[in-house]
Amino acid sequence: MLSVTDPDPIPPPPDRFNLASYVLAQAGAQPDKIALAILDRSGAERWSYARLNQTVGGTATGLLQQGLEPGDRVLLRLGNSIEFPLAFLGAITAGLVPVPTSAQLTEPEVARLIDIITPR
């Protein structure tokens, strides 16, 4: 198999890079454009930038209303579903530090991670 690569190196992200801001940057300019599609055997659930932006913002607000503060670590233990990107981007938007883990971890494995990560 022949691979073709761009000879120009990919520039590094800026020093102060915010993934949520980057992902949602098109929400104002192209609110109806599809930002996210969840595919399954029966079709696709499509999320526009406007819908994604609103839901991520609501998730961020909800996390902060639960008493979390910017800089707090949040352990995410979600499956491969729409809830994962919403929680991940919502945490970043709120200034939290999301720590994604597998939903299939056992209780002892999660307990060990909690000891190491010390999520709020």
Side-chain angles (χ1 to χ4, degrees):
M1 182 168 147
L2 177 63
S3 296
V4 178
T5 61
D6 187 343
D8 296 328
I10 297 171
D15 289 338
R16 297 196 47 85
F17 179 76
N18 182 297
L19 180 63
S21 294
Y22 178 79
V23 169
L24 299 172
Q26 296 300 313
Q30 300 181 52
D32 296 328
K33 186 174 180 179
I34 299 301
L36 178 65
I38 307 298
L39 308 176
D40 64 25
R41 293 177 192 249
S42 62
E45 178 182 357
R46 292 177 174 80
W47 285 63
S48 68
Y49 276 104
R51 181 181 178 199
L52 184 62
N53 188 50
Q54 181 178 9
T55 305
V56 166
T59 301
T61 299
L63 290 167
L64 294 173
Q65 287 176 344
Q66 292 297 312
L68 295 168
E69 297 177 5
D72 285 347
R73 292 183 203 103
V74 180
L75 185 77
L76 299 180
R77 191 166 177 233
L78 301 166
N80 189 15
S81 65
I82 187 63
E83 287 81 10
F84 178 82
L86 297 177
F88 189 83
L89 294 173
I92 293 171
T93 298
L96 305 170
V97 180
V99 181
T101 64
S102 172
Q104 297 180 355
L105 294 175
T106 65
E107 188 174 329
E109 291 169 327
V110 172
R112 176 76 174 122
L113 284 173
I114 289 171
D115 288 343
I116 295 168
I117 297 165
T118 62
R120 174 91 191 282

